[in-house]
Amino acid sequence: MAAYLIADVDIKDAAVFEEYRRDVPATEERYGGRYLGRGGATKVLEGDWEPHRLVIIEFPDMASLMGWYNSPEYARLIEIRKRCASTRIIALEGIATPTV
């Protein structure tokens, strides 16, 4: 069943973040990740959440998502992201869809 990475990224240094943004897609693709949303417009419908740059990535399953997140190629990019942004990230397991 699919799994989703959802991140709220508050960029503090756009120049440094550009390296992260440029290099991260190739690492995700190796684990079957694909973007469902990446930095588009948001509209809060309820509550007091003030999102920054939202990203949603779909992976084939939680094992693939965690494999990517804990991979050596992504570890380098995590360090870059931590230098230039504050981020909240969650992993969400999708729901099983019945086969017909």
Side-chain angles (χ1 to χ4, degrees):
M1 114 182 35
Y4 304 91
L5 179 130
I6 303 168
D8 182 1
V9 184
D10 185 7
I11 301 167
K12 307 294 185 188
D13 184 332
V16 174
F17 186 79
E18 181 57 29
E19 179 181 359
Y20 174 86
R21 191 194 64 73
R22 181 191 67 228
D23 292 351
V24 75
T27 67
E28 295 158 344
E29 289 170 7
R30 290 184 196 119
Y31 293 84
R34 69 182 186 101
Y35 286 98
L36 299 180
R38 186 180 187 200
T42 60
K43 183 175 183 82
V44 175
L45 301 178
E46 293 186 28
D48 59 0
W49 187 16
E50 294 182 28
H52 301 91
R53 182 181 206 281
L54 287 180
V55 178
I56 302 172
I57 307 165
E58 180 182 53
F59 286 87
D61 49 43
M62 189 63 77
S64 298
L65 187 158
M66 295 308 299
W68 164 74
Y69 186 80
N70 294 312
S71 69
E73 59 266 41
Y74 186 55
R76 176 185 74 83
L77 297 173
I78 288 174
E79 293 308 312
I80 293 170
R81 179 176 43 78
K82 286 181 176 180
R83 286 196 323 260
C84 65
S86 298
T87 310
R88 292 181 176 145
I89 300 174
I90 64 167
L92 170 68
E93 190 168 66
I95 56 173
T97 55
T99 56
V100 179

